[in-house]
Amino acid sequence: RNKPTLNRFYIVMLNHQKHTKSLSEPLFYDNADMKRLFNFSDKTLQRMRSNKSIPFVKIGKKYFYPVQYFKNLADKSCQD
């Protein structure tokens, strides 16, 4: 029951992101962003999703990854 509501939430957030992309940072990365920014392969992303080592949301056939998670990782690694 929560899944459709959660998916609707993410769809609304993604639509918001599309309309405000030039004004603010994105809320989610897609696979293309992850591959470009972190030099991950498709197989690496698949493995990380399977291992649940990174958070993701699947909407339709697309995967999305919360930007804030990776910012927090970067901040934490800079502090260590």
Side-chain angles (χ1 to χ4, degrees):
R1 177 162 191 173
N2 288 339
K3 192 170 185 173
T5 303
L6 188 59
N7 282 343
R8 271 189 250 124
F9 168 76
Y10 283 115
I11 290 168
V12 168
M13 295 305 291
L14 289 170
N15 284 334
H16 172 74
Q17 175 182 332
K18 285 180 186 177
H19 296 305
T20 61
K21 196 166 193 170
S22 61
L23 302 176
S24 64
E25 296 180 355
L27 298 174
F28 295 93
Y29 294 135
D30 64 7
N31 272 0
D33 294 327
M34 296 290 285
K35 290 164 62 174
R36 181 176 38 86
L37 293 170
F38 302 109
N39 201 28
F40 290 155
S41 68
D42 287 323
K43 185 65 178 173
T44 298
L45 287 170
Q46 179 186 8
R47 189 177 322 105
M48 293 172 86
R49 289 191 307 266
S50 295
N51 294 340
K52 297 184 178 119
S53 58
I54 56 172
F56 67 93
V57 176
K58 183 177 181 184
I59 300 175
K61 294 183 179 183
K62 267 191 108 160
Y63 292 96
F64 297 92
Y65 310 89
V67 169
Q68 193 60 47
Y69 173 80
F70 297 97
K71 286 186 174 192
N72 291 344
L73 273 181
D75 289 344
K76 185 178 178 184
S77 67
C78 288
Q79 292 173 357
D80 291 344

Coordinates of all heavy atoms in Angstrom, one line a residue:
R1 N 0.8 -1.2 0.0 CA 0.0 0.0 0.0 C 0.9 1.3 0.0 O 0.5 2.2 -0.7 CB -0.9 0.0 1.2 CG -1.7 1.2 1.2 CD -2.9 1.2 2.1 NE -3.6 2.4 1.8 CZ -4.8 2.7 2.1 NH1 -5.5 1.9 2.9 NH2 -5.4 3.8 1.8
N2 N 1.9 1.3 0.7 CA 2.8 2.5 0.8 C 3.6 2.7 -0.5 O 3.9 3.8 -0.8 CB 3.8 2.3 1.9 CG 3.1 2.5 3.3 OD1 2.1 3.1 3.3 ND2 3.8 2.0 4.3
K3 N 3.8 1.6 -1.3 CA 4.6 1.7 -2.5 C 4.0 2.7 -3.5 O 4.7 3.6 -4.0 CB 4.9 0.3 -3.1 CG 5.9 0.4 -4.1 CD 6.3 -1.0 -4.5 CE 7.5 -1.0 -5.5 NZ 8.0 -2.3 -5.8
P4 N 2.7 2.6 -3.9 CA 2.2 3.5 -4.8 C 2.3 5.0 -4.4 O 2.6 5.9 -5.1 CB 0.7 3.1 -5.0 CG 0.7 1.6 -4.7 CD 1.8 1.5 -3.6
T5 N 2.0 5.2 -3.1 CA 2.1 6.5 -2.5 C 3.6 7.0 -2.6 O 3.8 8.2 -3.0 CB 1.6 6.6 -1.1 OG1 0.3 6.1 -1.0 CG2 1.7 8.0 -0.5
L6 N 4.5 6.2 -2.3 CA 5.9 6.6 -2.3 C 6.3 6.8 -3.8 O 7.0 7.8 -4.0 CB 6.8 5.4 -1.7 CG 8.2 5.7 -1.5 CD1 8.4 6.9 -0.6 CD2 8.9 4.5 -1.0
N7 N 5.9 6.0 -4.7 CA 6.2 6.2 -6.1 C 5.6 7.5 -6.6 O 6.3 8.3 -7.3 CB 5.7 5.1 -7.0 CG 6.7 3.9 -6.9 OD1 7.8 4.0 -6.4 ND2 6.2 2.7 -7.3
R8 N 4.4 7.9 -6.2 CA 3.8 9.1 -6.6 C 4.6 10.3 -6.0 O 4.8 11.3 -6.7 CB 2.3 9.2 -6.1 CG 1.4 8.6 -7.1 CD -0.1 8.9 -6.7 NE -0.6 7.6 -6.4 CZ -1.2 7.3 -5.3 NH1 -1.4 8.2 -4.3 NH2 -1.6 6.1 -5.0
F9 N 5.1 10.2 -4.8 CA 5.9 11.2 -4.2 C 7.2 11.4 -5.0 O 7.5 12.6 -5.3 CB 6.3 10.8 -2.8 CG 7.4 11.7 -2.2 CD1 7.1 12.9 -1.7 CD2 8.7 11.2 -2.1 CE1 8.1 13.7 -1.2 CE2 9.7 12.0 -1.6 CZ 9.4 13.3 -1.1
Y10 N 7.8 10.4 -5.4 CA 9.1 10.5 -6.2 C 8.8 11.1 -7.6 O 9.6 11.9 -8.1 CB 9.8 9.2 -6.3 CG 10.5 8.8 -5.0 CD1 10.2 7.7 -4.3 CD2 11.6 9.6 -4.6 CE1 10.9 7.5 -3.1 CE2 12.2 9.4 -3.4 CZ 11.9 8.3 -2.6 OH 12.5 8.0 -1.5
I11 N 7.6 10.7 -8.2 CA 7.3 11.3 -9.5 C 7.1 12.8 -9.4 O 7.6 13.5 -10.2 CB 6.1 10.6 -10.1 CG1 6.4 9.1 -10.5 CG2 5.5 11.3 -11.2 CD1 5.3 8.2 -10.8
V12 N 6.4 13.2 -8.3 CA 6.2 14.6 -8.1 C 7.5 15.3 -7.9 O 7.8 16.4 -8.5 CB 5.2 14.9 -6.9 CG1 5.3 16.3 -6.5 CG2 3.8 14.4 -7.2
M13 N 8.4 14.7 -7.1 CA 9.7 15.3 -6.9 C 10.5 15.4 -8.2 O 11.2 16.4 -8.4 CB 10.5 14.5 -5.8 CG 9.9 14.6 -4.4 SD 9.6 16.3 -3.8 CE 11.2 16.8 -3.6
L14 N 10.5 14.3 -9.0 CA 11.2 14.4 -10.2 C 10.7 15.4 -11.2 O 11.4 16.1 -11.9 CB 11.2 13.0 -10.9 CG 12.0 11.9 -10.2 CD1 11.7 10.5 -10.8 CD2 13.5 12.2 -10.3
N15 N 9.3 15.6 -11.2 CA 8.7 16.6 -12.1 C 9.2 18.0 -11.6 O 9.5 18.9 -12.4 CB 7.2 16.5 -12.1 CG 6.7 15.4 -13.0 OD1 7.4 15.0 -13.9 ND2 5.6 14.8 -12.6
H16 N 9.2 18.2 -10.3 CA 9.6 19.4 -9.7 C 11.1 19.7 -10.1 O 11.5 20.8 -10.4 CB 9.5 19.4 -8.1 CG 10.1 20.5 -7.5 ND1 9.6 21.8 -7.5 CD2 11.3 20.6 -6.8 CE1 10.4 22.6 -6.8 NE2 11.4 21.9 -6.3
Q17 N 11.9 18.6 -10.0 CA 13.3 18.8 -10.4 C 13.5 19.2 -11.8 O 14.3 20.1 -12.1 CB 14.0 17.4 -10.1 CG 15.5 17.4 -10.5 CD 16.1 16.0 -10.3 OE1 15.7 15.3 -9.5 NE2 17.0 15.7 -11.1
K18 N 12.7 18.6 -12.7 CA 12.8 19.0 -14.1 C 12.5 20.5 -14.4 O 13.1 21.1 -15.1 CB 11.8 18.1 -15.0 CG 12.3 16.7 -15.2 CD 11.3 16.0 -16.0 CE 11.6 14.5 -16.1 NZ 10.6 13.8 -16.8
H19 N 11.5 21.0 -13.6 CA 11.1 22.4 -13.8 C 12.0 23.4 -13.2 O 12.0 24.5 -13.5 CB 9.6 22.6 -13.4 CG 8.6 21.8 -14.1 ND1 8.5 21.9 -15.5 CD2 7.7 20.9 -13.8 CE1 7.6 21.1 -15.9 NE2 7.1 20.4 -14.9
T20 N 12.7 22.9 -12.2 CA 13.6 23.9 -11.4 C 15.1 23.5 -11.6 O 15.9 24.1 -10.9 CB 13.3 23.8 -9.9 OG1 13.5 22.5 -9.4 CG2 11.9 24.3 -9.7
K21 N 15.4 22.7 -12.6 CA 16.8 22.2 -12.7 C 17.8 23.4 -12.9 O 18.8 23.3 -12.4 CB 16.8 21.3 -13.9 CG 18.1 20.4 -13.9 CD 18.0 19.3 -14.9 CE 19.2 18.4 -14.6 NZ 19.0 17.1 -15.4
S22 N 17.4 24.4 -13.7 CA 18.3 25.5 -13.9 C 18.5 26.4 -12.6 O 19.4 27.1 -12.5 CB 17.9 26.3 -15.1 OG 16.6 26.9 -14.8
L23 N 17.5 26.3 -11.7 CA 17.5 27.1 -10.5 C 18.1 26.5 -9.3 O 18.5 27.2 -8.4 CB 16.1 27.6 -10.2 CG 15.3 28.3 -11.3 CD1 13.9 28.6 -10.9 CD2 16.1 29.6 -11.7
S24 N 18.2 25.2 -9.3 CA 18.7 24.5 -8.1 C 19.4 23.2 -8.5 O 19.4 22.8 -9.6 CB 17.5 24.2 -7.2 OG 16.6 23.3 -7.8
E25 N 19.9 22.6 -7.5 CA 20.6 21.3 -7.7 C 19.6 20.2 -7.8 O 18.5 20.3 -7.2 CB 21.5 21.0 -6.5 CG 22.6 22.0 -6.3 CD 23.5 21.6 -5.1 OE1 23.2 20.7 -4.4 OE2 24.5 22.3 -5.0
P26 N 19.9 19.1 -8.5 CA 19.0 18.0 -8.7 C 18.8 17.3 -7.3 O 19.7 17.3 -6.5 CB 19.6 17.1 -9.7 CG 21.0 17.4 -9.7 CD 21.1 18.9 -9.3
L27 N 17.7 16.6 -7.2 CA 17.4 15.8 -6.0 C 17.9 14.4 -6.2 O 18.2 13.7 -5.2 CB 15.9 15.8 -5.7 CG 15.3 17.2 -5.3 CD1 13.8 17.0 -5.2 CD2 15.9 17.7 -4.1
F28 N 17.9 14.0 -7.5 CA 18.3 12.6 -7.8 C 19.3 12.5 -9.0 O 19.2 13.4 -9.8 CB 17.1 11.8 -8.2 CG 16.1 11.6 -7.1 CD1 15.0 12.4 -6.9 CD2 16.2 10.5 -6.2 CE1 14.1 12.3 -5.9 CE2 15.3 10.4 -5.1 CZ 14.3 11.2 -5.0
Y29 N 20.1 11.5 -9.0 CA 20.9 11.2 -10.1 C 20.3 10.0 -10.8 O 19.7 9.2 -10.1 CB 22.3 10.8 -9.7 CG 23.2 11.8 -9.1 CD1 24.0 11.5 -8.0 CD2 23.4 13.1 -9.6 CE1 24.8 12.4 -7.4 CE2 24.2 14.0 -9.0 CZ 24.9 13.7 -7.9 OH 25.7 14.6 -7.4
D30 N 20.4 10.0 -12.1 CA 19.9 8.8 -12.8 C 21.2 8.0 -13.2 O 22.3 8.3 -12.8 CB 19.1 9.1 -14.1 CG 19.8 9.9 -15.1 OD1 21.0 10.1 -15.0 OD2 19.2 10.3 -16.1
N31 N 21.0 6.8 -13.9 CA 22.1 6.0 -14.2 C 23.2 6.7 -15.0 O 24.4 6.6 -14.8 CB 21.7 4.7 -15.0 CG 21.3 3.6 -14.1 OD1 21.4 3.7 -12.9 ND2 20.9 2.5 -14.7
A32 N 22.8 7.5 -16.0 CA 23.7 8.3 -16.8 C 24.6 9.2 -15.9 O 25.8 9.3 -16.1 CB 23.0 9.1 -17.9
D33 N 23.9 9.9 -15.0 CA 24.7 10.8 -14.1 C 25.7 10.0 -13.3 O 26.8 10.4 -13.1 CB 23.7 11.5 -13.1 CG 22.8 12.4 -13.8 OD1 23.2 13.1 -14.8 OD2 21.6 12.6 -13.3
M34 N 25.3 8.9 -12.7 CA 26.1 8.1 -11.9 C 27.4 7.6 -12.7 O 28.5 7.6 -12.2 CB 25.4 6.9 -11.3 CG 24.3 7.2 -10.4 SD 24.9 7.9 -8.8 CE 25.4 6.4 -8.0
K35 N 27.1 7.2 -13.9 CA 28.2 6.7 -14.7 C 29.2 7.8 -15.1 O 30.4 7.6 -15.1 CB 27.6 6.0 -16.0 CG 26.9 4.7 -15.7 CD 26.0 4.2 -16.8 CE 26.8 4.0 -18.1 NZ 25.9 3.4 -19.1
R36 N 28.6 9.0 -15.4 CA 29.5 10.1 -15.7 C 30.2 10.7 -14.5 O 31.4 10.9 -14.6 CB 28.6 11.2 -16.4 CG 29.4 12.4 -16.8 CD 28.4 13.4 -17.5 NE 27.1 13.5 -16.9 CZ 26.8 14.3 -15.9 NH1 27.7 15.1 -15.4 NH2 25.6 14.4 -15.4
L37 N 29.5 10.9 -13.4 CA 30.2 11.5 -12.3 C 31.1 10.6 -11.5 O 32.2 11.1 -11.0 CB 29.1 12.0 -11.3 CG 28.2 13.1 -11.8 CD1 27.0 13.2 -10.8 CD2 28.9 14.4 -11.9
F38 N 30.8 9.3 -11.4 CA 31.6 8.4 -10.6 C 32.3 7.3 -11.4 O 33.0 6.5 -10.8 CB 30.7 7.7 -9.5 CG 30.0 8.8 -8.6 CD1 28.6 9.0 -8.8 CD2 30.7 9.5 -7.7 CE1 28.0 9.9 -8.0 CE2 30.1 10.4 -6.9 CZ 28.7 10.6 -7.0
N39 N 32.2 7.4 -12.7 CA 32.8 6.4 -13.6 C 32.4 5.0 -13.2 O 33.2 4.1 -13.3 CB 34.3 6.6 -13.5 CG 35.0 6.0 -14.7 OD1 34.4 5.9 -15.8 ND2 36.2 5.5 -14.6
F40 N 31.1 4.8 -12.9 CA 30.6 3.5 -12.6 C 30.1 2.9 -13.9 O 29.6 3.5 -14.8 CB 29.4 3.5 -11.7 CG 29.7 3.9 -10.3 CD1 28.8 4.5 -9.4 CD2 30.9 3.6 -9.7 CE1 29.0 4.8 -8.1 CE2 31.2 3.9 -8.4 CZ 30.3 4.5 -7.6
S41 N 30.2 1.5 -14.0 CA 29.6 0.8 -15.2 C 28.2 0.4 -14.8 O 27.8 0.5 -13.7 CB 30.5 -0.4 -15.5 OG 30.3 -1.4 -14.4
D42 N 27.5 0.0 -15.8 CA 26.1 -0.5 -15.6 C 26.2 -1.7 -14.6 O 25.3 -1.8 -13.7 CB 25.5 -1.0 -16.9 CG 25.1 0.2 -17.8 OD1 24.6 1.2 -17.2 OD2 25.2 0.1 -19.0
K43 N 27.1 -2.6 -14.8 CA 27.2 -3.8 -14.0 C 27.5 -3.4 -12.5 O 27.0 -4.0 -11.6 CB 28.3 -4.7 -14.5 CG 28.4 -6.0 -13.8 CD 27.2 -6.8 -13.9 CE 27.3 -8.2 -13.2 NZ 26.1 -8.9 -13.2
T44 N 28.4 -2.4 -12.3 CA 28.7 -1.9 -11.0 C 27.5 -1.4 -10.3 O 27.2 -1.7 -9.1 CB 29.8 -0.9 -11.0 OG1 31.0 -1.5 -11.5 CG2 30.1 -0.3 -9.6
L45 N 26.7 -0.6 -11.0 CA 25.5 0.0 -10.4 C 24.5 -1.1 -10.1 O 23.9 -1.1 -9.0 CB 24.8 1.0 -11.4 CG 25.5 2.3 -11.5 CD1 25.0 3.1 -12.7 CD2 25.4 3.1 -10.2
Q46 N 24.4 -2.1 -11.0 CA 23.5 -3.2 -10.7 C 23.9 -4.0 -9.5 O 23.1 -4.3 -8.6 CB 23.5 -4.2 -11.9 CG 22.6 -5.4 -11.7 CD 22.7 -6.4 -12.9 OE1 23.6 -6.3 -13.7 NE2 21.9 -7.4 -12.9
R47 N 25.2 -4.2 -9.3 CA 25.8 -4.9 -8.2 C 25.5 -4.1 -6.9 O 25.1 -4.7 -5.9 CB 27.2 -5.2 -8.4 CG 27.9 -6.1 -7.3 CD 29.3 -6.4 -7.5 NE 29.7 -6.6 -8.9 CZ 30.4 -5.7 -9.6 NH1 30.8 -4.5 -9.1 NH2 30.8 -5.9 -10.9
M48 N 25.7 -2.8 -7.0 CA 25.5 -2.0 -5.8 C 24.0 -2.0 -5.4 O 23.7 -1.9 -4.2 CB 26.0 -0.6 -6.0 CG 27.6 -0.5 -6.2 SD 28.2 1.0 -6.7 CE 28.3 1.9 -5.2
R49 N 23.1 -2.0 -6.4 CA 21.7 -2.0 -6.0 C 21.4 -3.4 -5.4 O 20.6 -3.4 -4.4 CB 20.9 -1.8 -7.3 CG 20.9 -0.4 -7.8 CD 19.8 -0.1 -8.9 NE 19.9 -1.1 -9.9 CZ 20.5 -0.9 -11.1 NH1 21.2 0.2 -11.3 NH2 20.5 -1.8 -12.0
S50 N 21.9 -4.4 -6.0 CA 21.6 -5.8 -5.5 C 22.1 -6.0 -4.1 O 21.5 -6.6 -3.2 CB 22.3 -6.9 -6.4 OG 21.7 -6.8 -7.7
N51 N 23.3 -5.4 -3.8 CA 23.9 -5.5 -2.4 C 23.3 -4.5 -1.5 O 23.6 -4.5 -0.3 CB 25.4 -5.3 -2.5 CG 26.1 -6.3 -3.3 OD1 25.7 -7.4 -3.4 ND2 27.3 -6.0 -3.7
K52 N 22.4 -3.7 -2.0 CA 21.8 -2.6 -1.2 C 22.9 -1.7 -0.5 O 22.7 -1.2 0.6 CB 20.9 -3.2 -0.1 CG 19.7 -3.9 -0.8 CD 18.8 -4.4 0.3 CE 17.7 -5.0 -0.4 NZ 16.9 -5.7 -0.7
S53 N 24.0 -1.5 -1.3 CA 25.0 -0.6 -0.7 C 24.8 0.8 -1.1 O 25.5 1.7 -0.5 CB 26.4 -1.1 -1.2 OG 26.5 -1.1 -2.6
I54 N 23.8 1.1 -2.0 CA 23.5 2.5 -2.3 C 21.9 2.5 -2.3 O 21.3 1.6 -2.7 CB 24.0 3.0 -3.6 CG1 23.7 2.1 -4.8 CG2 25.5 3.2 -3.5 CD1 24.0 2.7 -6.1
P55 N 21.4 3.6 -1.8 CA 19.9 3.8 -1.9 C 19.5 4.1 -3.3 O 20.2 4.8 -4.1 CB 19.6 4.9 -0.9 CG 20.8 5.7 -0.9 CD 22.0 4.8 -1.2
F56 N 18.3 3.6 -3.7 CA 17.8 3.9 -5.1 C 16.3 3.8 -5.0 O 15.7 3.2 -4.2 CB 18.4 3.0 -6.1 CG 18.0 1.6 -6.0 CD1 16.9 1.1 -6.7 CD2 18.7 0.7 -5.1 CE1 16.5 -0.3 -6.5 CE2 18.3 -0.6 -5.0 CZ 17.2 -1.1 -5.7
V57 N 15.7 4.4 -6.1 CA 14.2 4.3 -6.3 C 14.1 3.9 -7.8 O 14.8 4.4 -8.6 CB 13.5 5.6 -6.1 CG1 12.1 5.5 -6.4 CG2 13.7 6.1 -4.7
K58 N 13.2 2.9 -8.0 CA 13.0 2.5 -9.4 C 11.6 3.0 -9.8 O 10.6 2.7 -9.1 CB 13.0 1.0 -9.5 CG 12.8 0.5 -11.0 CD 13.0 -1.0 -11.1 CE 12.8 -1.4 -12.5 NZ 12.8 -2.8 -12.7
I59 N 11.5 3.8 -10.8 CA 10.3 4.3 -11.3 C 10.2 3.8 -12.8 O 11.0 4.3 -13.6 CB 10.2 5.8 -11.2 CG1 10.3 6.2 -9.8 CG2 8.9 6.3 -11.8 CD1 10.3 7.7 -9.5
G60 N 9.2 3.0 -13.0 CA 9.2 2.3 -14.4 C 10.4 1.5 -14.6 O 10.7 0.6 -13.8
K61 N 11.1 1.8 -15.6 CA 12.4 1.0 -15.9 C 13.6 1.8 -15.5 O 14.7 1.4 -15.8 CB 12.4 0.7 -17.4 CG 11.3 -0.3 -17.8 CD 11.5 -0.7 -19.2 CE 10.4 -1.7 -19.6 NZ 10.5 -2.1 -21.0
K62 N 13.4 3.0 -14.9 CA 14.6 3.9 -14.6 C 14.9 3.8 -13.1 O 14.0 3.7 -12.3 CB 14.3 5.3 -15.0 CG 14.8 5.7 -16.4 CD 14.7 7.2 -16.6 CE 16.1 7.7 -16.6 NZ 16.2 9.0 -17.2
Y63 N 16.2 3.9 -12.8 CA 16.7 4.0 -11.4 C 17.1 5.4 -11.1 O 17.7 6.0 -12.0 CB 17.9 3.0 -11.2 CG 17.5 1.6 -11.3 CD1 17.6 0.9 -12.5 CD2 16.9 0.9 -10.2 CE1 17.2 -0.5 -12.6 CE2 16.6 -0.5 -10.3 CZ 16.7 -1.1 -11.5 OH 16.4 -2.4 -11.6
F64 N 16.8 5.8 -9.9 CA 17.2 7.1 -9.4 C 17.9 7.0 -8.1 O 17.5 6.2 -7.3 CB 16.0 8.0 -9.3 CG 15.4 8.3 -10.6 CD1 14.3 7.5 -11.1 CD2 15.8 9.3 -11.5 CE1 13.7 7.7 -12.3 CE2 15.2 9.5 -12.7 CZ 14.2 8.7 -13.1
Y65 N 18.9 7.8 -7.8 CA 19.8 7.7 -6.6 C 19.8 9.1 -6.0 O 20.0 10.1 -6.7 CB 21.2 7.3 -7.0 CG 21.2 6.1 -7.9 CD1 21.2 6.3 -9.3 CD2 21.3 4.9 -7.4 CE1 21.2 5.1 -10.1 CE2 21.4 3.7 -8.2 CZ 21.3 3.9 -9.6 OH 21.3 2.8 -10.4
P66 N 19.5 9.2 -4.7 CA 19.4 10.5 -4.0 C 20.7 11.2 -3.9 O 21.7 10.7 -3.4 CB 18.9 10.2 -2.6 CG 19.1 8.7 -2.4 CD 19.2 8.1 -3.8
V67 N 20.8 12.4 -4.5 CA 22.0 13.2 -4.5 C 22.5 13.4 -3.1 O 23.7 13.3 -2.8 CB 21.7 14.6 -5.2 CG1 22.9 15.5 -5.0 CG2 21.4 14.4 -6.6
Q68 N 21.6 13.7 -2.1 CA 22.0 14.0 -0.7 C 22.9 12.8 -0.1 O 23.8 13.1 0.6 CB 20.8 14.3 0.1 CG 21.2 14.9 1.5 CD 21.9 16.2 1.3 OE1 21.5 17.1 0.5 NE2 23.0 16.4 2.0
Y69 N 22.6 11.6 -0.5 CA 23.3 10.5 0.0 C 24.8 10.6 -0.3 O 25.7 10.4 0.5 CB 22.7 9.1 -0.5 CG 23.5 7.9 -0.1 CD1 23.5 7.4 1.1 CD2 24.4 7.4 -1.1 CE1 24.2 6.2 1.5 CE2 25.2 6.3 -0.7 CZ 25.1 5.7 0.5 OH 25.8 4.6 0.8
F70 N 25.0 10.9 -1.6 CA 26.4 11.0 -2.1 C 27.1 12.3 -1.6 O 28.3 12.2 -1.3 CB 26.4 10.9 -3.6 CG 25.9 9.6 -4.1 CD1 24.6 9.5 -4.5 CD2 26.7 8.5 -4.1 CE1 24.1 8.3 -4.9 CE2 26.2 7.3 -4.5 CZ 24.9 7.1 -4.9
K71 N 26.4 13.3 -1.3 CA 27.0 14.5 -0.7 C 27.4 14.2 0.7 O 28.5 14.6 1.1 CB 26.0 15.7 -0.7 CG 25.8 16.3 -2.1 CD 24.9 17.5 -2.0 CE 24.9 18.2 -3.3 NZ 24.3 19.5 -3.3
N72 N 26.5 13.5 1.4 CA 26.8 13.1 2.8 C 28.1 12.2 2.8 O 28.9 12.4 3.7 CB 25.7 12.4 3.5 CG 24.5 13.3 3.7 OD1 24.6 14.6 3.7 ND2 23.4 12.8 4.0
L73 N 28.2 11.3 1.9 CA 29.4 10.4 1.8 C 30.6 11.2 1.6 O 31.7 11.0 2.2 CB 29.2 9.4 0.7 CG 28.6 8.1 1.0 CD1 28.5 7.2 -0.3 CD2 29.2 7.3 2.1
A74 N 30.5 12.2 0.7 CA 31.7 13.0 0.4 C 32.1 13.9 1.6 O 33.3 14.0 1.9 CB 31.4 13.9 -0.8
D75 N 31.1 14.4 2.3 CA 31.4 15.2 3.5 C 32.0 14.4 4.5 O 33.0 14.8 5.2 CB 30.1 15.8 4.0 CG 29.5 16.9 3.1 OD1 30.3 17.4 2.2 OD2 28.3 17.3 3.3
K76 N 31.5 13.2 4.7 CA 32.0 12.3 5.8 C 33.5 11.9 5.4 O 34.3 11.9 6.3 CB 31.2 11.0 5.9 CG 31.6 10.1 7.0 CD 30.7 8.9 7.1 CE 31.2 8.0 8.2 NZ 30.5 6.8 8.4
S77 N 33.8 11.6 4.1 CA 35.1 11.2 3.8 C 36.1 12.4 3.9 O 37.3 12.1 4.2 CB 35.2 10.6 2.4 OG 34.9 11.6 1.4
C78 N 35.6 13.6 3.7 CA 36.5 14.7 3.9 C 36.8 15.0 5.4 O 37.9 15.5 5.7 CB 35.9 16.0 3.3 SG 35.8 16.0 1.5
Q79 N 35.9 14.6 6.3 CA 36.1 14.8 7.7 C 37.0 13.7 8.3 O 37.7 14.0 9.3 CB 34.8 14.8 8.4 CG 33.9 16.0 8.1 CD 32.5 15.8 8.7 OE1 32.2 14.8 9.3 NE2 31.7 16.8 8.5
D80 N 37.1 12.6 7.7 CA 37.9 11.5 8.2 C 39.4 11.7 8.0 O 40.0 12.3 7.3 CB 37.5 10.1 7.7 CG 36.1 9.7 8.2 OD1 35.6 10.3 9.2 OD2 35.5 8.9 7.6

